[in-house]
Amino acid sequence: MSQDSNRPDSTRMIWRGVVEEYRNFMPVSEHTPVITLGEGRTPLIFAPELSSLKSAHVYLKYEGGNPTGSFKDRGMTLAISKAAEEGSQTVVCASTGNTSASAAAYAAKAGMTCVVLIPEGYIALGKLAQALIYGAKVMQIKGNFDQALQIVREFGEHSSKVTVVNSINPHRIDGQKTGAFEIVDTLGIVPDYHFIPVGNAGNITAYWKGYNEYYKAGITSSLPKMMGFQAAGAAPIVLGHVVDHPDTIATAIRIGNPASWDFATRARDESGGVISSVTDSEILEAYRFLAAKESVFCEPASAASVAGLLKSDIKPGSVVVCILTGHGLKDPDVAISQISVPEGVDATYDAISKELGV
Ligand code: AN7
């Protein structure tokens, strides 16, 4: 075979990342250097087992398919592109892990210094590895995410030299809203229900913004009900007050004072949806179910959306999308804790066949 025939088909569209693909909806100009890792276009996977359990059409938006393994890449491409346009050399964020991994990757791509503040002892191993290997300056603070975010807010106020890339930076939200565009573009319709985990509440805010922008542009003619789920031990929006010591096995959403609180309640109320909570055991049950029954391995926080679906009453025949925000390999410790790791067996056919009972 000649080399030429091995080349990719040039007529096949190359995905250019969410800023270019949805440029009409982005606050960018020809002067914006687009920093991208090809994020977005993540799988929308039909879930037959969940569909049959709920008598609905259930799809999983698998955000673990992004370049750093979480939905954060959608917002980080835009936040870092805008920081580059403004001439910023240093970015800073507080994080429960995924934001730090994503910020570290995109900052490295842009040649910027990245500083991340993470809660010591409460960040999944894969995320810590990512932030470090991408070359971020990692500060493990003796405190939780909410305290880290407070410090980062002070950086934003006191220093014009650093750009804050938490979701209080509106460019993060504008990048993340592309998830809603992709769902509509892929399904061809607007789902009836949108299930999503809620931590700092930036993502539910972003999806609601995305659905509304397509609606206002006349691309769609309906809006989904926004169904947000917090972990029971970290459920300030559900309780109606700040939680000083949030606690959950889903460390990604171990947040007691969400930055986008008001936007999240607005999304809930305007859409006729709910923000409710799921216990750690409900989260873990959904987490194991997704891997074993739907072959989709997500991280614990992501499974909060499906845990929420499992206990919600929805209209039969509805079209449902659950956002699975991050990859299962982010948190190998929780995965291993949920299964029993088999003991070693002698390296012989006899030993293996005896063990298998064949
Ligand atoms: C896998 O990385 O807040 O409600 O600092 O990593 O938009 O905060 C992560 C949040 C859900 C919640 N699922 O989204 C951070 C961080 C996963 C996450 C959420 C997060 P938001």
Side-chain angles (χ1 to χ4, degrees):
M1 208 185 277
S2 81
Q3 264 206 315
D4 262 6
S5 61
N6 282 331
R7 289 220 183 110
D9 179 356
S10 60
T11 61
R12 202 195 298 156
M13 256 271 282
I14 296 200
W15 183 261
R16 299 160 298 168
V18 298
V19 174
E20 286 298 349
E21 295 295 334
Y22 293 107
R23 185 172 261 274
N24 292 346
F25 292 89
M26 292 291 150
V28 294
S29 72
E30 65 273 27
H31 304 297
T32 313
V34 176
I35 312 296
T36 181
L37 294 170
E39 61 295 315
R41 197 164 64 170
T42 54
L44 188 67
I45 306 166
F46 180 66
E49 300 291 332
L50 285 169
S51 296
S52 110
L53 272 177
K54 302 306 289 188
S55 304
H57 308 277
V58 180
Y59 295 85
L60 307 170
K61 180 71 168 160
Y62 187 52
E63 291 290 277
N66 278 299
T68 78
S70 88
F71 71 100
K72 302 289 182 180
D73 294 346
R74 296 182 181 278
M76 207 53 76
T77 178
L78 185 62
I80 297 291
S81 297
K82 294 301 285 186
E85 181 179 353
E86 288 149 18
S88 183
Q89 299 289 316
T90 305
V91 295
V92 61
C93 67
S95 181
T96 58
N98 279 325
T99 299
S100 65
S102 187
Y106 284 81
K109 182 91 178 182
M112 292 175 189
T113 301
C114 179
V115 179
V116 305
L117 274 62
I118 55 175
E120 186 177 31
Y122 290 93
I123 166 170
L125 197 59
K127 304 173 189 180
L128 180 61
Q130 285 180 292
L132 291 167
I133 203 83
Y134 289 125
K137 180 155 183 51
V138 174
M139 314 286 281
Q140 298 220 62
I141 69 154
K142 298 182 193 308
N144 63 26
F145 169 83
D146 301 293
Q147 293 166 289
L149 185 60
Q150 185 51 42
I151 297 164
V152 165
R153 283 182 192 275
E154 287 178 39
F155 268 106
E157 283 158 24
H158 298 312
S159 172
S160 57
K161 291 206 178 69
V162 299
T163 302
V164 174
V165 292
N166 278 105
S167 56
I168 50 178
N169 177 335
H171 301 314
R172 283 276 313 284
I173 304 293
D174 272 323
Q176 283 176 211
K177 75 189 177 193
T178 59
F181 300 162
E182 284 181 23
I183 288 168
V184 172
D185 292 347
T186 309
L187 276 180
I189 51 167
V190 178
D192 300 306
Y193 295 93
H194 178 100
F195 283 80
I196 186 166
V198 175
N200 213 24
N203 212 25
I204 190 171
T205 301
Y207 271 97
W208 185 236
K209 186 168 194 219
Y211 285 121
N212 274 279
E213 288 188 8
Y214 258 26
Y215 183 81
K216 283 177 194 140
I219 298 167
T220 54
S221 55
S222 67
L223 293 162
K225 288 191 191 308
M226 301 300 285
M227 312 290 281
F229 289 86
Q230 301 196 290
I237 299 176
V238 181
L239 297 169
H241 60 78
V242 169
V243 174
D244 288 330
H245 302 288
D247 193 27
T248 167
I249 192 164
T251 52
I253 52 174
R254 188 176 170 271
I255 295 173
N257 188 11
S260 299
W261 189 320
D262 292 344
F263 292 118
T265 53
R266 210 179 301 162
R268 174 195 67 195
D269 298 341
E270 289 174 3
S271 74
V274 300
I275 295 180
S276 186
S277 63
V278 284
T279 64
D280 278 8
S281 67
E282 289 168 333
I283 287 173
L284 290 171
E285 195 180 324
Y287 168 80
R288 290 187 305 259
F289 181 97
L290 283 165
K293 303 293 184 193
E294 305 288 7
S295 298
V296 179
F297 183 27
C298 63
E299 65 172 286
S302 307
S305 60
V306 170
L309 170 62
L310 285 170
K311 66 183 213 183
S312 294
D313 277 328
I314 56 163
K315 224 170 120 220
S318 299
V319 175
V320 175
V321 172
C322 299
I323 307 300
L324 298 182
T325 43
H327 202 293
L329 291 173
K330 292 272 190 177
D331 198 339
D333 294 313
V334 169
I336 293 291
S337 78
Q338 292 302 298
I339 48 180
S340 52
V341 180
E343 307 227 325
V345 188
D346 284 344
T348 62
Y349 174 79
D350 283 353
I352 300 286
S353 55
K354 191 174 159 215
E355 195 71 24
L356 293 175
V358 294

mmCIF file of all heavy atoms in Angstrom, residues 15-39:
data_model
loop_
_atom_site.group_PDB
_atom_site.id
_atom_site.type_symbol
_atom_site.label_atom_id
_atom_site.label_comp_id
_atom_site.label_asym_id
_atom_site.label_seq_id
_atom_site.Cartn_x
_atom_site.Cartn_y
_atom_site.Cartn_z
ATOM 1 N N TRP A 15 -11.798 17.935 14.296
ATOM 2 C CA TRP A 15 -12.376 18.677 15.426
ATOM 3 C C TRP A 15 -11.336 19.638 15.975
ATOM 4 O O TRP A 15 -10.235 19.243 16.324
ATOM 5 C CB TRP A 15 -12.831 17.686 16.494
ATOM 6 C CG TRP A 15 -13.496 18.331 17.666
ATOM 7 C CD1 TRP A 15 -12.921 18.629 18.874
ATOM 8 C CD2 TRP A 15 -14.861 18.745 17.765
ATOM 9 N NE1 TRP A 15 -13.845 19.198 19.706
ATOM 10 C CE2 TRP A 15 -15.048 19.285 19.049
ATOM 11 C CE3 TRP A 15 -15.957 18.718 16.884
ATOM 12 C CZ2 TRP A 15 -16.273 19.786 19.489
ATOM 13 C CZ3 TRP A 15 -17.174 19.219 17.335
ATOM 14 C CH2 TRP A 15 -17.321 19.744 18.613
ATOM 15 N N ARG A 16 -11.689 20.897 16.045
ATOM 16 C CA ARG A 16 -10.699 21.923 16.411
ATOM 17 C C ARG A 16 -10.806 22.408 17.848
ATOM 18 O O ARG A 16 -10.207 23.413 18.216
ATOM 19 C CB ARG A 16 -10.852 23.119 15.457
ATOM 20 C CG ARG A 16 -10.614 22.761 13.986
ATOM 21 C CD ARG A 16 -11.238 23.787 13.066
ATOM 22 N NE ARG A 16 -12.681 23.824 13.248
ATOM 23 C CZ ARG A 16 -13.480 24.775 12.757
ATOM 24 N NH1 ARG A 16 -12.966 25.768 12.059
ATOM 25 N NH2 ARG A 16 -14.777 24.725 12.972
ATOM 26 N N GLY A 17 -11.580 21.708 18.676
ATOM 27 C CA GLY A 17 -11.769 22.160 20.055
ATOM 28 C C GLY A 17 -12.987 23.067 20.153
ATOM 29 O O GLY A 17 -13.488 23.566 19.147
ATOM 30 N N VAL A 18 -13.467 23.277 21.381
ATOM 31 C CA VAL A 18 -14.789 23.902 21.538
ATOM 32 C C VAL A 18 -14.815 25.392 21.198
ATOM 33 O O VAL A 18 -15.845 25.920 20.793
ATOM 34 C CB VAL A 18 -15.378 23.660 22.952
ATOM 35 C CG1 VAL A 18 -15.572 22.165 23.200
ATOM 36 C CG2 VAL A 18 -14.520 24.281 24.052
ATOM 37 N N VAL A 19 -13.683 26.088 21.342
ATOM 38 C CA VAL A 19 -13.697 27.528 21.038
ATOM 39 C C VAL A 19 -13.889 27.748 19.541
ATOM 40 O O VAL A 19 -14.748 28.528 19.116
ATOM 41 C CB VAL A 19 -12.410 28.221 21.545
ATOM 42 C CG1 VAL A 19 -12.376 29.679 21.084
ATOM 43 C CG2 VAL A 19 -12.321 28.153 23.065
ATOM 44 N N GLU A 20 -13.134 27.016 18.722
ATOM 45 C CA GLU A 20 -13.289 27.156 17.271
ATOM 46 C C GLU A 20 -14.625 26.594 16.798
ATOM 47 O O GLU A 20 -15.308 27.205 15.968
ATOM 48 C CB GLU A 20 -12.154 26.443 16.527
ATOM 49 C CG GLU A 20 -10.813 27.152 16.569
ATOM 50 C CD GLU A 20 -10.815 28.539 15.925
ATOM 51 O OE1 GLU A 20 -11.806 28.915 15.247
ATOM 52 O OE2 GLU A 20 -9.832 29.258 16.110
ATOM 53 N N GLU A 21 -14.999 25.441 17.309
ATOM 54 C CA GLU A 21 -16.215 24.786 16.822
ATOM 55 C C GLU A 21 -17.467 25.601 17.126
ATOM 56 O O GLU A 21 -18.453 25.533 16.393
ATOM 57 C CB GLU A 21 -16.340 23.375 17.410
ATOM 58 C CG GLU A 21 -15.253 22.401 16.960
ATOM 59 C CD GLU A 21 -15.286 22.086 15.463
ATOM 60 O OE1 GLU A 21 -16.369 22.192 14.843
ATOM 61 O OE2 GLU A 21 -14.221 21.756 14.920
ATOM 62 N N TYR A 22 -17.436 26.337 18.236
ATOM 63 C CA TYR A 22 -18.610 27.133 18.625
ATOM 64 C C TYR A 22 -18.260 28.616 18.700
ATOM 65 O O TYR A 22 -18.772 29.349 19.529
ATOM 66 C CB TYR A 22 -19.183 26.607 19.942
ATOM 67 C CG TYR A 22 -19.764 25.214 19.798
ATOM 68 C CD1 TYR A 22 -19.105 24.103 20.330
ATOM 69 C CD2 TYR A 22 -20.954 25.007 19.101
ATOM 70 C CE1 TYR A 22 -19.634 22.822 20.173
ATOM 71 C CE2 TYR A 22 -21.487 23.729 18.934
ATOM 72 C CZ TYR A 22 -20.816 22.644 19.476
ATOM 73 O OH TYR A 22 -21.349 21.386 19.321
ATOM 74 N N ARG A 23 -17.395 29.036 17.793
ATOM 75 C CA ARG A 23 -16.855 30.395 17.802
ATOM 76 C C ARG A 23 -17.944 31.471 17.855
ATOM 77 O O ARG A 23 -17.782 32.493 18.524
ATOM 78 C CB ARG A 23 -15.970 30.592 16.557
ATOM 79 C CG ARG A 23 -15.244 31.915 16.487
ATOM 80 C CD ARG A 23 -14.253 31.908 15.328
ATOM 81 N NE ARG A 23 -12.894 31.637 15.767
ATOM 82 C CZ ARG A 23 -12.053 32.567 16.197
ATOM 83 N NH1 ARG A 23 -12.412 33.822 16.257
ATOM 84 N NH2 ARG A 23 -10.836 32.249 16.584
ATOM 85 N N ASN A 24 -19.065 31.236 17.163
ATOM 86 C CA ASN A 24 -20.148 32.239 17.139
ATOM 87 C C ASN A 24 -20.726 32.522 18.523
ATOM 88 O O ASN A 24 -21.347 33.558 18.733
ATOM 89 C CB ASN A 24 -21.304 31.773 16.240
ATOM 90 C CG ASN A 24 -20.896 31.743 14.791
ATOM 91 O OD1 ASN A 24 -19.864 32.303 14.432
ATOM 92 N ND2 ASN A 24 -21.692 31.075 13.970
ATOM 93 N N PHE A 25 -20.533 31.578 19.431
ATOM 94 C CA PHE A 25 -21.090 31.728 20.779
ATOM 95 C C PHE A 25 -20.001 32.091 21.801
ATOM 96 O O PHE A 25 -20.237 32.054 22.999
ATOM 97 C CB PHE A 25 -21.790 30.439 21.216
ATOM 98 C CG PHE A 25 -23.038 30.144 20.421
ATOM 99 C CD1 PHE A 25 -22.970 29.411 19.249
ATOM 100 C CD2 PHE A 25 -24.285 30.613 20.841
ATOM 101 C CE1 PHE A 25 -24.122 29.139 18.500
ATOM 102 C CE2 PHE A 25 -25.424 30.354 20.107
ATOM 103 C CZ PHE A 25 -25.351 29.619 18.932
ATOM 104 N N MET A 26 -18.807 32.398 21.306
ATOM 105 C CA MET A 26 -17.661 32.609 22.202
ATOM 106 C C MET A 26 -17.207 34.071 22.173
ATOM 107 O O MET A 26 -17.228 34.700 21.106
ATOM 108 C CB MET A 26 -16.481 31.735 21.748
ATOM 109 C CG MET A 26 -16.696 30.264 21.935
ATOM 110 S SD MET A 26 -16.720 29.849 23.681
ATOM 111 C CE MET A 26 -17.812 28.456 23.601
ATOM 112 N N PRO A 27 -16.751 34.591 23.321
ATOM 113 C CA PRO A 27 -16.279 35.983 23.383
ATOM 114 C C PRO A 27 -14.842 36.093 22.875
ATOM 115 O O PRO A 27 -13.944 36.508 23.606
ATOM 116 C CB PRO A 27 -16.371 36.297 24.880
ATOM 117 C CG PRO A 27 -16.113 34.980 25.551
ATOM 118 C CD PRO A 27 -16.682 33.921 24.634
ATOM 119 N N VAL A 28 -14.625 35.705 21.620
ATOM 120 C CA VAL A 28 -13.271 35.744 21.061
ATOM 121 C C VAL A 28 -13.260 36.562 19.767
ATOM 122 O O VAL A 28 -14.305 36.757 19.134
ATOM 123 C CB VAL A 28 -12.715 34.326 20.758
ATOM 124 C CG1 VAL A 28 -12.517 33.539 22.044
ATOM 125 C CG2 VAL A 28 -13.618 33.564 19.794
ATOM 126 N N SER A 29 -12.083 37.033 19.415
ATOM 127 C CA SER A 29 -11.930 37.770 18.157
ATOM 128 C C SER A 29 -10.734 37.173 17.422
ATOM 129 O O SER A 29 -10.110 36.210 17.893
ATOM 130 C CB SER A 29 -11.666 39.247 18.446
ATOM 131 O OG SER A 29 -10.352 39.388 18.961
ATOM 132 N N GLU A 30 -10.393 37.782 16.282
ATOM 133 C CA GLU A 30 -9.224 37.287 15.539
ATOM 134 C C GLU A 30 -7.932 37.521 16.316
ATOM 135 O O GLU A 30 -6.889 36.964 15.989
ATOM 136 C CB GLU A 30 -9.164 37.918 14.133
ATOM 137 C CG GLU A 30 -8.948 39.404 14.096
ATOM 138 C CD GLU A 30 -10.263 40.204 14.189
ATOM 139 O OE1 GLU A 30 -11.259 39.708 14.770
ATOM 140 O OE2 GLU A 30 -10.274 41.336 13.695
ATOM 141 N N HIS A 31 -8.007 38.348 17.381
ATOM 142 C CA HIS A 31 -6.817 38.619 18.194
ATOM 143 C C HIS A 31 -6.633 37.628 19.343
ATOM 144 O O HIS A 31 -5.646 37.696 20.069
ATOM 145 C CB HIS A 31 -6.886 40.037 18.778
ATOM 146 C CG HIS A 31 -7.066 41.092 17.721
ATOM 147 N ND1 HIS A 31 -6.117 41.313 16.744
ATOM 148 C CD2 HIS A 31 -8.089 41.946 17.476
ATOM 149 C CE1 HIS A 31 -6.559 42.278 15.937
ATOM 150 N NE2 HIS A 31 -7.753 42.666 16.357
ATOM 151 N N THR A 32 -7.603 36.740 19.502
ATOM 152 C CA THR A 32 -7.499 35.784 20.616
ATOM 153 C C THR A 32 -6.661 34.581 20.185
ATOM 154 O O THR A 32 -7.030 33.883 19.230
ATOM 155 C CB THR A 32 -8.898 35.270 21.034
ATOM 156 O OG1 THR A 32 -9.790 36.388 21.149
ATOM 157 C CG2 THR A 32 -8.832 34.517 22.349
ATOM 158 N N PRO A 33 -5.534 34.333 20.856
ATOM 159 C CA PRO A 33 -4.795 33.112 20.546
ATOM 160 C C PRO A 33 -5.536 31.922 21.169
ATOM 161 O O PRO A 33 -5.715 31.875 22.384
ATOM 162 C CB PRO A 33 -3.443 33.334 21.243
ATOM 163 C CG PRO A 33 -3.714 34.318 22.323
ATOM 164 C CD PRO A 33 -4.961 35.090 21.979
ATOM 165 N N VAL A 34 -6.014 31.018 20.347
ATOM 166 C CA VAL A 34 -6.818 29.912 20.891
ATOM 167 C C VAL A 34 -5.891 28.802 21.385
ATOM 168 O O VAL A 34 -5.170 28.183 20.599
ATOM 169 C CB VAL A 34 -7.827 29.390 19.856
ATOM 170 C CG1 VAL A 34 -8.591 28.189 20.409
ATOM 171 C CG2 VAL A 34 -8.794 30.503 19.452
ATOM 172 N N ILE A 35 -5.911 28.604 22.691
ATOM 173 C CA ILE A 35 -5.116 27.539 23.310
ATOM 174 C C ILE A 35 -6.029 26.329 23.477
ATOM 175 O O ILE A 35 -6.970 26.353 24.270
ATOM 176 C CB ILE A 35 -4.581 27.978 24.700
ATOM 177 C CG1 ILE A 35 -3.937 29.368 24.662
ATOM 178 C CG2 ILE A 35 -3.647 26.917 25.266
ATOM 179 C CD1 ILE A 35 -2.696 29.481 23.808
ATOM 180 N N THR A 36 -5.759 25.290 22.713
ATOM 181 C CA THR A 36 -6.668 24.120 22.736
ATOM 182 C C THR A 36 -5.892 22.809 22.786
ATOM 183 O O THR A 36 -4.750 22.729 22.312
ATOM 184 C CB THR A 36 -7.584 24.120 21.494
ATOM 185 O OG1 THR A 36 -8.463 22.980 21.555
ATOM 186 C CG2 THR A 36 -6.789 24.068 20.191
ATOM 187 N N LEU A 37 -6.520 21.815 23.371
ATOM 188 C CA LEU A 37 -6.000 20.443 23.321
ATOM 189 C C LEU A 37 -7.003 19.534 22.593
ATOM 190 O O LEU A 37 -6.970 18.323 22.740
ATOM 191 C CB LEU A 37 -5.741 19.930 24.746
ATOM 192 C CG LEU A 37 -4.625 20.661 25.516
ATOM 193 C CD1 LEU A 37 -4.628 20.248 26.994
ATOM 194 C CD2 LEU A 37 -3.261 20.339 24.911
ATOM 195 N N GLY A 38 -7.907 20.161 21.850
ATOM 196 C CA GLY A 38 -8.906 19.369 21.116
ATOM 197 C C GLY A 38 -10.045 18.865 21.985
ATOM 198 O O GLY A 38 -10.663 17.841 21.685
ATOM 199 N N GLU A 39 -10.314 19.612 23.062
ATOM 200 C CA GLU A 39 -11.369 19.215 24.013
ATOM 201 C C GLU A 39 -12.752 19.221 23.360
ATOM 202 O O GLU A 39 -12.971 19.863 22.343
ATOM 203 C CB GLU A 39 -11.360 20.170 25.222
ATOM 204 C CG GLU A 39 -11.634 21.621 24.891
ATOM 205 C CD GLU A 39 -10.556 22.265 24.022
ATOM 206 O OE1 GLU A 39 -9.367 22.068 24.303
ATOM 207 O OE2 GLU A 39 -10.910 22.937 23.025
#
